Amino acid sequence: MNKIIMSSHKTTSTAAPEKFGFRDVKREVFERIRNNKWGPGTQLPGEVELASTFGCSRATVNRAMQELSDDGIIERRRKGGSHVKLAPIRQVKFEIPLVRVEVESRGSEYRYQLISSEVMAAPHWLQVRMDLQVASPVRHVRCLHSADGAPYQYEDRWINLFAVPRAEDANFSKIGPNEWLVNEVPYTNAEVRFGATNADHTISQHLKTIDGDPIFLAERSTWHAGVQVTFVRLYFPRGYQMIAKY
Amino acid sequence: MNKIIMSSHKTTSTAAPEKFGFRDVKREVFERIRNNKWGPGTQLPGEVELASTFGCSRATVNRAMQELSDDGIIERRRKGGSHVKLAPIRQVKFEIPLVRVEVESRGSEYRYQLISSEVMAAPHWLQVRMDLQVASPVRHVRCLHSADGAPYQYEDRWINLFAVPRAEDANFSKIGPNEWLVNEVPYTNAEVRFGATNADHTISQHLKTIDGDPIFLAERSTWHAGVQVTFVRLYFPRGYQMIAKY
DNA sequence: CTCATTTTTATGTATAGACATAATAAAGTT
DNA sequence: AACTTTATTATGTCTATACATAAAAATGAG
């Protein structure tokens, strides 16, 4: 299965000449970097050289190197050539699924419960947070997501009705505002901030924890076409862990 | 600056025929998806059709669509064609830089301080955590990272000396174990878990917080070539926020 | 020597053409 | 109708070629 080139020459006589696709090239180059054969800072061979080394076209090498660059493994500059990154600032990727999907994928029974909902003028702190015009109408929704009957996430959300007028009449008693918004206003830009906080009385009441318990808090701001659509605070009870791999 | 195609026909007579590169194609397609012109689930035109629409080659369209697929915007299947994703499970990307770099990029003065270091046999809980052979030698290092004199991150790290023998004699009094490891064993696989916890006495002492204060906790396990290299717990005082955009 | 100009070069991007592959659709068989 | 086989088709990938572009390196002027 594994295609490995031992020497840097084109092909040894014994091995089958198996064509190198861009995946093979990518894996090979990455392997050499990992093995410290090409350590941090090393200038890599040019695309033409690599192409002849691996017996493929420059376009193929180019795609491989392009992806390695996207992955943050190497840096490329015109004329300067490709270099192994000095500080491997590797990026973590993870998906933020719908709560419902997240709960169900753990094999738990998902339940949603609307706690409160009201339409009002944006309070001052929110105007600042959401960069709103003074007194824009917003819908404030609070709800609870449970897994197997136990509180899983407390959601405190503000929706900009100027950006999403239809949210004023949306019915959030059965599906949560997040799921509704995702269908209504897909493909937004967002910024998430993670941190820790204490449970105040309201939170501990809904999450069934004790006042002062540590809470994992995620704040998300979401934009569409330049205007902020929603601002939400998600509270997770102690023990919740968000997992990311890279 | 903005190149916008109004109709779906090749080119209108008035507008300049400006060539569409893969970026233009990508932006155009994404724009139509965002505008709900092509809503969730919609089957997109085939590559040949798009190519003639935008007046470029199929390869160009292919690259644009490939990237949209990588970005999680669309789904592609051979013969099935390209579809706008139903549930836009957008992925969050963020970088985990070196603490030093993180602090310095905020314009603060970084300081590092070694608290303790000892070589020992792995305690039982760690053996389980790191999937080690019984009683592998490990180096336990605790240290503190500060920004402008204020505690920024308390680091509690275990290094598998079987995987990284040179770590036994490494000097961690001036540069931290993370920075050392990143240079010694680059390009590893890792898993990070985020959560919230309470400050116990040790933590609150070093982070200068009060016992019981909420702490943002990140646990990271790192592998190289199949064996776990290190396990680290990072404690951030209240107020710390990790920011991710997407 | 210093500075501005030209040349060189590695990567960036686009293209037409070719074949591979997976999966659907269509046709044929029982 | 249910099943098998074949054809069709959209995407996946590779190639050779071409030109663009940024930046280093070489060159020349003062």
Side-chain angles (χ1 to χ4, degrees):
Chain A
M1 273 306 180
N2 261 318
K3 300 170 192 172
I4 295 179
I5 279 200
M6 297 306 291
S7 83
S8 61
H9 303 94
K10 294 196 179 186
T11 323
T12 50
S13 50
T14 49
E18 299 190 46
K19 255 187 205 164
F20 263 57
F22 77 96
R23 290 162 195 288
D24 304 306
V25 174
K26 186 179 174 183
R27 198 184 39 238
E28 250 304 299
V29 172
F30 180 64
E31 205 48 46
R32 295 186 186 188
I33 291 173
R34 259 201 5 168
N35 292 343
N36 239 339
K37 181 171 175 178
W38 289 331
T42 307
Q43 163 137 18
L44 303 178
E47 293 188 346
V48 258
E49 189 180 336
L50 286 174
S52 90
T53 299
F54 293 127
C56 60
S57 76
R58 185 170 83 86
T60 304
V61 172
N62 182 277
R63 178 159 180 190
M65 300 298 269
Q66 196 73 250
E67 290 200 1
L68 283 172
S69 172
D70 289 344
D71 294 347
I73 310 294
I74 66 175
E75 273 176 329
R76 331 188 65 205
R77 267 185 6 268
R78 274 178 166 133
K79 165 77 183 180
S82 300
H83 292 256
V84 180
K85 264 204 181 180
L86 282 167
I89 304 178
R90 307 249 336 243
Q91 42 200 339
V92 178
K93 258 192 202 174
F94 65 101
E95 298 176 342
I96 298 196
L98 294 171
V99 210
R100 180 175 57 75
V101 176
E102 191 180 358
V103 168
E104 285 169 352
S105 72
R106 294 184 184 200
S108 299
E109 191 210 2
Y110 171 75
R111 223 183 59 206
Y112 165 79
Q113 186 191 342
L114 180 63
I115 294 170
S116 78
S117 168
E118 60 175 326
V119 173
M120 58 192 286
H124 184 67
W125 67 268
L126 189 67
Q127 287 174 31
V128 177
R129 269 283 199 185
M130 295 187 68
D131 196 29
L132 297 175
Q133 310 300 343
V134 184
S136 295
V138 292
R139 182 163 176 188
H140 182 205
V141 182
R142 296 181 304 158
C143 52
L144 184 70
H145 307 267
S146 314
D148 289 333
Y152 183 82
Q153 179 194 97
Y154 174 76
E155 176 179 349
D156 187 328
R157 181 182 294 270
W158 302 81
I159 304 170
N160 180 2
L161 293 179
F162 178 74
V164 202
R166 305 206 334 169
E168 181 162 358
D169 303 313
N171 181 4
F172 294 145
S173 63
K174 290 211 168 167
I175 58 162
N178 188 38
E179 201 151 345
W180 185 86
L181 277 167
V182 154
N183 286 314
E184 189 75 11
V185 193
Y187 312 108
T188 49
N189 289 18
E191 184 180 300
V192 202
R193 288 173 293 280
F194 304 105
T197 186
N198 276 122
D200 65 15
H201 187 63
T202 318
I203 309 295
S204 61
Q205 187 186 345
H206 291 301
L207 289 182
K208 288 179 187 161
T209 60
I210 306 160
D211 283 25
D213 249 25
I215 296 286
F216 182 76
L217 170 63
E219 288 183 349
R220 187 162 67 220
S221 298
T222 307
W223 291 265
H224 180 72
V227 297
Q228 189 159 349
V229 169
T230 182
F231 171 72
V232 62
R233 272 196 262 253
L234 306 170
Y235 300 85
F236 299 85
R238 159 191 237 125
Y240 173 82
Q241 281 192 327
M242 200 178 64
I243 300 177
K245 293 173 195 202
Y246 67 107
Chain B
M1 274 302 181
N2 260 318
K3 301 170 191 171
I4 295 179
I5 279 201
M6 297 308 290
S7 84
S8 61
H9 303 94
K10 294 195 180 188
T11 325
T12 49
S13 50
T14 49
E18 298 191 47
K19 255 187 202 163
F20 263 58
F22 77 96
R23 289 162 195 289
D24 304 307
V25 174
K26 187 180 174 184
R27 199 185 38 240
E28 250 303 300
V29 172
F30 181 64
E31 205 48 45
R32 295 187 186 188
I33 291 172
R34 261 202 2 170
N35 293 340
N36 240 336
K37 181 169 176 180
W38 289 329
T42 307
Q43 163 137 18
L44 302 178
E47 294 188 346
V48 258
E49 188 179 336
L50 286 175
S52 91
T53 299
F54 294 125
C56 60
S57 76
R58 185 169 85 85
T60 303
V61 172
N62 183 277
R63 179 160 181 191
M65 300 298 269
Q66 197 72 251
E67 291 199 0
L68 283 172
S69 173
D70 289 344
D71 294 346
I73 310 294
I74 66 174
E75 271 176 333
R76 330 187 67 204
R77 270 190 358 273
R78 275 177 167 135
K79 165 76 183 179
S82 301
H83 292 257
V84 180
K85 264 205 182 178
L86 281 167
I89 304 178
R90 307 262 319 256
Q91 40 200 341
V92 177
K93 258 192 201 174
F94 64 100
E95 299 177 342
I96 298 197
L98 294 171
V99 209
R100 180 175 57 76
V101 176
E102 191 180 358
V103 168
E104 285 170 351
S105 73
R106 294 184 185 201
S108 300
E109 192 210 359
Y110 172 74
R111 224 181 59 205
Y112 164 78
Q113 184 191 344
L114 180 63
I115 295 170
S116 78
S117 168
E118 60 175 325
V119 174
M120 56 190 289
H124 184 66
W125 68 268
L126 189 67
Q127 287 173 32
V128 177
R129 269 282 199 183
M130 294 187 70
D131 197 29
L132 297 175
Q133 311 299 341
V134 184
S136 295
V138 292
R139 183 164 175 187
H140 182 203
V141 182
R142 296 182 305 157
C143 52
L144 184 69
H145 306 267
S146 313
D148 288 333
Y152 183 82
Q153 180 194 95
Y154 174 76
E155 176 178 350
D156 187 327
R157 180 183 295 270
W158 302 81
I159 304 171
N160 180 4
L161 293 179
F162 177 76
V164 201
R166 306 206 332 167
E168 181 161 0
D169 303 313
N171 181 3
F172 294 145
S173 63
K174 290 210 168 168
I175 57 162
N178 187 40
E179 201 151 348
W180 185 87
L181 277 167
V182 154
N183 287 313
E184 189 76 10
V185 193
Y187 311 108
T188 50
N189 289 16
E191 185 181 299
V192 202
R193 287 173 295 280
F194 304 106
T197 185
N198 276 122
D200 66 14
H201 189 62
T202 318
I203 308 297
S204 61
Q205 188 185 343
H206 290 300
L207 288 182
K208 287 180 185 157
T209 60
I210 306 161
D211 284 25
D213 249 25
I215 297 286
F216 183 75
L217 170 62
E219 288 184 349
R220 187 161 68 219
S221 298
T222 307
W223 291 265
H224 181 73
V227 296
Q228 189 159 348
V229 170
T230 182
F231 171 72
V232 62
R233 272 196 261 252
L234 306 170
Y235 300 85
F236 298 86
R238 160 193 238 122
Y240 173 83
Q241 283 193 328
M242 199 178 66
I243 301 177
K245 295 175 194 202
Y246 66 106

